[in-house]
Amino acid sequence: MPTGFRSDSFRFNTKGIFEGLSAESLQRLDDASVTHLYKKGEIVFREGGIPSGIFYLLKGKVKKYKTTGKGAEQVFYVCTAGELLGYHAVLSEEHYPDSAATIEDSEITFIPRENFLNVLHASSVLSNKLLKTLGHEFSVFINAITNLATKSVRERVALNLLILDEKFKREEKQEAASEINMSRTDLANMVGTAKESLVRLLQQFKIEGLIESNGRIIRILNKKGIIREANLSGGHQKVF
Amino acid sequence: MPTGFRSDSFRFNTKGIFEGLSAESLQRLDDASVTHLYKKGEIVFREGGIPSGIFYLLKGKVKKYKTTGKGAEQVFYVCTAGELLGYHAVLSEEHYPDSAATIEDSEITFIPRENFLNVLHASSVLSNKLLKTLGHEFSVFINAITNLATKSVRERVALNLLILDEKFKREEKQEAASEINMSRTDLANMVGTAKESLVRLLQQFKIEGLIESNGRIIRILNKKGIIREANLSGGHQKVF
DNA sequence: CATTAACGTTGATAAAAATCAATTATTGCC
DNA sequence: GGCAATAATTGATTTTTATCAACGTTAATG
């Protein structure tokens, strides 16, 4: 049973989705798009809303989440620069099933639904890329489900630290430990546990020298150790 | 907050995916396909395997699941007649991320990878339908994740009974209560709990008159009661 | 730059769920 | 139809995780 952390298994593949498009298609998308600045904490779209277009995250970070009747919030994904948001509901022709909100100051380009669909329907390059991306998402989701259903909270905390470590990598310092900067509440909602349980486990990891923290910022000190705690297994590569 | 059970939120939409295809496309798929009988318990494909084509479930039921390092098995979906299987890995060009096995005697048509992709790339009708289907799957998965992360085992047992009730509906008797016929182990692996916990909760529902059972077969007696136990919220409809 | 509201941490306790162990049903098979 | 073998159930117990309550810290804001 292979072991190790393969960030690919937890990441959607929308980065570079518009690469390889014809100049005409790109122009049509560009002409229709508008870019806005979002402050930390702003909502991009809301569960139940009618999708009017898709969003391209130029800069910043966005959490995707779903709220429950009881007010709980499940964060199931964190988008980083270069990722696309909100296309599922446009494709499925349904209301947004989830909400999206910035977790840091961000810059987001909006492409109206009609323009996106026109380009999509005209471009087999784009539709094939999107099909490939969506096929990959399936594997990301079943990983997420399996981990939620079978791993302990401790294992899930470790796993999510690894996922976030990738997301908070800075271009300048690829090698340095990332500075994971997320509220404890968001982290707990991502792990699927109570905030207090999350804090206690972070405290343990800290005592064991696996991580350090400074205010809300978390740094992984011993990645192998965290990988061990996450108890990973499986992971598969490209075929063709 | 709207409440009620919307089975659509838990079902993929591959049924009828080949409707509306040109006669030529259908012919090309048909020429390439082979149909096999599978006995209950047979494996259709296995996690880590190389996808050589897609499967169309003509008759029977198939569980989709992932196994963990510790030998646990997470069942994340049950396919019924008319559904497509194994297309994600073909689209993503990755190994199978999950396994599929029949849970009753089944009849499955296999379409080789190349033939499927040729038809897909030639048919914008099919690729658009598939994009729509995959967009919908996203909402199914985030529902599943949110439920796993935020609901109690009791709530999840009730919810999965509702999901299975739909899957075990018989064409003859749409109105009659379904006969849910699945091993307690599979059920527990679907709910994401220990078999013993599942059994105890079924026992409670039985005492409360919400269900009845005869051997392994479960029948819902009071659907509203089970919906109440599942504590559902949300659910959104088509837009356009 | 002081304030204060939001956020984070810790401790004590309760609740939920898993595990272990033993027994009883069921079902596939000859 | 009887007989293993497999699956389901029940009870006792432990472990894990959530909840409640109090207090400390941080950082956003005027």
Side-chain angles (χ1 to χ4, degrees), chain B residues 208-225:
Chain B
E208 295 166 26
L210 300 172
I211 63 171
E212 67 176 9
S213 72
N214 187 345
R216 64 150 49 171
I217 289 171
I218 299 167
R219 253 180 249 96
I220 294 182
L221 293 178
N222 177 352
K223 192 160 173 180
K224 282 199 178 149

mmCIF file of all heavy atoms in Angstrom, chain B residues 208-225:
data_model
loop_
_atom_site.group_PDB
_atom_site.id
_atom_site.type_symbol
_atom_site.label_atom_id
_atom_site.label_comp_id
_atom_site.label_asym_id
_atom_site.label_seq_id
_atom_site.Cartn_x
_atom_site.Cartn_y
_atom_site.Cartn_z
ATOM 1 N N GLU B 208 -39.707 2.417 17.198
ATOM 2 C CA GLU B 208 -40.512 3.633 17.054
ATOM 3 C C GLU B 208 -41.511 3.529 15.902
ATOM 4 O O GLU B 208 -42.208 4.494 15.592
ATOM 5 C CB GLU B 208 -39.580 4.841 16.847
ATOM 6 C CG GLU B 208 -38.713 5.116 18.076
ATOM 7 C CD GLU B 208 -37.561 6.079 17.797
ATOM 8 O OE1 GLU B 208 -37.685 6.897 16.873
ATOM 9 O OE2 GLU B 208 -36.532 5.988 18.507
ATOM 10 N N GLY B 209 -41.539 2.362 15.257
ATOM 11 C CA GLY B 209 -42.523 2.133 14.206
ATOM 12 C C GLY B 209 -42.212 2.839 12.896
ATOM 13 O O GLY B 209 -43.075 2.964 12.024
ATOM 14 N N LEU B 210 -40.982 3.283 12.734
ATOM 15 C CA LEU B 210 -40.631 4.014 11.517
ATOM 16 C C LEU B 210 -40.282 3.068 10.370
ATOM 17 O O LEU B 210 -40.478 3.400 9.200
ATOM 18 C CB LEU B 210 -39.451 4.955 11.796
ATOM 19 C CG LEU B 210 -39.710 6.010 12.869
ATOM 20 C CD1 LEU B 210 -38.422 6.755 13.206
ATOM 21 C CD2 LEU B 210 -40.768 6.997 12.382
ATOM 22 N N ILE B 211 -39.734 1.916 10.727
ATOM 23 C CA ILE B 211 -39.386 0.919 9.712
ATOM 24 C C ILE B 211 -39.806 -0.458 10.195
ATOM 25 O O ILE B 211 -40.145 -0.648 11.368
ATOM 26 C CB ILE B 211 -37.862 0.892 9.428
ATOM 27 C CG1 ILE B 211 -37.089 0.480 10.693
ATOM 28 C CG2 ILE B 211 -37.377 2.252 8.941
ATOM 29 C CD1 ILE B 211 -35.611 0.223 10.464
ATOM 30 N N GLU B 212 -39.768 -1.427 9.282
ATOM 31 C CA GLU B 212 -39.891 -2.816 9.702
ATOM 32 C C GLU B 212 -38.815 -3.592 8.969
ATOM 33 O O GLU B 212 -38.282 -3.118 7.959
ATOM 34 C CB GLU B 212 -41.281 -3.383 9.383
ATOM 35 C CG GLU B 212 -41.575 -3.520 7.904
ATOM 36 C CD GLU B 212 -42.928 -4.185 7.613
ATOM 37 O OE1 GLU B 212 -43.709 -4.379 8.545
ATOM 38 O OE2 GLU B 212 -43.177 -4.486 6.424
ATOM 39 N N SER B 213 -38.466 -4.757 9.474
ATOM 40 C CA SER B 213 -37.469 -5.536 8.752
ATOM 41 C C SER B 213 -37.808 -7.000 8.821
ATOM 42 O O SER B 213 -38.477 -7.482 9.742
ATOM 43 C CB SER B 213 -36.075 -5.277 9.294
ATOM 44 O OG SER B 213 -35.920 -5.867 10.554
ATOM 45 N N ASN B 214 -37.353 -7.688 7.790
ATOM 46 C CA ASN B 214 -37.629 -9.106 7.662
ATOM 47 C C ASN B 214 -36.342 -9.701 7.119
ATOM 48 O O ASN B 214 -36.024 -9.535 5.952
ATOM 49 C CB ASN B 214 -38.798 -9.287 6.680
ATOM 50 C CG ASN B 214 -39.248 -10.727 6.621
ATOM 51 O OD1 ASN B 214 -38.526 -11.621 7.080
ATOM 52 N ND2 ASN B 214 -40.417 -10.958 6.065
ATOM 53 N N GLY B 215 -35.590 -10.333 8.000
ATOM 54 C CA GLY B 215 -34.250 -10.743 7.585
ATOM 55 C C GLY B 215 -33.455 -9.483 7.318
ATOM 56 O O GLY B 215 -33.544 -8.515 8.067
ATOM 57 N N ARG B 216 -32.744 -9.454 6.227
ATOM 58 C CA ARG B 216 -31.939 -8.264 5.941
ATOM 59 C C ARG B 216 -32.765 -7.176 5.264
ATOM 60 O O ARG B 216 -32.317 -6.047 5.141
ATOM 61 C CB ARG B 216 -30.750 -8.654 5.067
ATOM 62 C CG ARG B 216 -31.180 -9.173 3.720
ATOM 63 C CD ARG B 216 -30.164 -8.901 2.644
ATOM 64 N NE ARG B 216 -28.817 -9.291 3.023
ATOM 65 C CZ ARG B 216 -27.798 -9.304 2.162
ATOM 66 N NH1 ARG B 216 -28.015 -8.962 0.895
ATOM 67 N NH2 ARG B 216 -26.603 -9.657 2.539
ATOM 68 N N ILE B 217 -33.959 -7.511 4.820
ATOM 69 C CA ILE B 217 -34.784 -6.553 4.081
ATOM 70 C C ILE B 217 -35.414 -5.514 5.006
ATOM 71 O O ILE B 217 -35.983 -5.847 6.056
ATOM 72 C CB ILE B 217 -35.882 -7.284 3.287
ATOM 73 C CG1 ILE B 217 -35.236 -8.032 2.113
ATOM 74 C CG2 ILE B 217 -36.945 -6.323 2.785
ATOM 75 C CD1 ILE B 217 -36.150 -8.956 1.387
ATOM 76 N N ILE B 218 -35.276 -4.249 4.618
ATOM 77 C CA ILE B 218 -35.832 -3.157 5.410
ATOM 78 C C ILE B 218 -36.918 -2.462 4.611
ATOM 79 O O ILE B 218 -36.736 -2.173 3.424
ATOM 80 C CB ILE B 218 -34.733 -2.134 5.771
ATOM 81 C CG1 ILE B 218 -33.638 -2.788 6.608
ATOM 82 C CG2 ILE B 218 -35.321 -0.927 6.491
ATOM 83 C CD1 ILE B 218 -32.384 -1.951 6.732
ATOM 84 N N ARG B 219 -38.023 -2.161 5.255
ATOM 85 C CA ARG B 219 -39.100 -1.394 4.633
ATOM 86 C C ARG B 219 -39.383 -0.147 5.474
ATOM 87 O O ARG B 219 -39.485 -0.247 6.693
ATOM 88 C CB ARG B 219 -40.382 -2.244 4.538
ATOM 89 C CG ARG B 219 -40.703 -2.708 3.129
ATOM 90 C CD ARG B 219 -41.981 -3.544 3.087
ATOM 91 N NE ARG B 219 -41.665 -4.937 2.773
ATOM 92 C CZ ARG B 219 -41.496 -5.921 3.654
ATOM 93 N NH1 ARG B 219 -41.681 -5.712 4.945
ATOM 94 N NH2 ARG B 219 -41.182 -7.131 3.256
ATOM 95 N N ILE B 220 -39.509 0.990 4.831
ATOM 96 C CA ILE B 220 -39.873 2.209 5.547
ATOM 97 C C ILE B 220 -41.387 2.241 5.725
ATOM 98 O O ILE B 220 -42.131 2.148 4.756
ATOM 99 C CB ILE B 220 -39.412 3.467 4.780
ATOM 100 C CG1 ILE B 220 -37.880 3.520 4.735
ATOM 101 C CG2 ILE B 220 -39.968 4.740 5.432
ATOM 102 C CD1 ILE B 220 -37.319 4.743 4.031
ATOM 103 N N LEU B 221 -41.830 2.341 6.974
ATOM 104 C CA LEU B 221 -43.271 2.357 7.245
ATOM 105 C C LEU B 221 -43.790 3.787 7.331
ATOM 106 O O LEU B 221 -44.915 4.077 6.983
ATOM 107 C CB LEU B 221 -43.559 1.643 8.571
ATOM 108 C CG LEU B 221 -43.287 0.138 8.590
ATOM 109 C CD1 LEU B 221 -43.576 -0.427 9.970
ATOM 110 C CD2 LEU B 221 -44.113 -0.566 7.521
ATOM 111 N N ASN B 222 -42.942 4.674 7.841
ATOM 112 C CA ASN B 222 -43.360 6.049 8.069
ATOM 113 C C ASN B 222 -42.295 6.972 7.474
ATOM 114 O O ASN B 222 -41.352 7.376 8.142
ATOM 115 C CB ASN B 222 -43.506 6.265 9.581
ATOM 116 C CG ASN B 222 -43.869 7.692 9.928
ATOM 117 O OD1 ASN B 222 -43.887 8.580 9.069
ATOM 118 N ND2 ASN B 222 -44.150 7.917 11.201
ATOM 119 N N LYS B 223 -42.519 7.298 6.210
ATOM 120 C CA LYS B 223 -41.493 8.070 5.498
ATOM 121 C C LYS B 223 -41.320 9.461 6.093
ATOM 122 O O LYS B 223 -40.205 9.943 6.264
ATOM 123 C CB LYS B 223 -41.859 8.166 4.014
ATOM 124 C CG LYS B 223 -40.735 8.695 3.165
ATOM 125 C CD LYS B 223 -40.919 8.335 1.691
ATOM 126 C CE LYS B 223 -39.878 9.027 0.839
ATOM 127 N NZ LYS B 223 -40.033 8.691 -0.593
ATOM 128 N N LYS B 224 -42.431 10.082 6.439
ATOM 129 C CA LYS B 224 -42.338 11.412 7.055
ATOM 130 C C LYS B 224 -41.519 11.367 8.332
ATOM 131 O O LYS B 224 -40.733 12.264 8.626
ATOM 132 C CB LYS B 224 -43.738 11.952 7.359
ATOM 133 C CG LYS B 224 -44.417 12.475 6.105
ATOM 134 C CD LYS B 224 -45.564 13.417 6.425
ATOM 135 C CE LYS B 224 -46.175 13.933 5.119
ATOM 136 N NZ LYS B 224 -47.609 14.216 5.249
ATOM 137 N N GLY B 225 -41.732 10.285 9.098
ATOM 138 C CA GLY B 225 -40.978 10.126 10.340
ATOM 139 C C GLY B 225 -39.482 10.007 10.072
ATOM 140 O O GLY B 225 -38.664 10.612 10.763
#
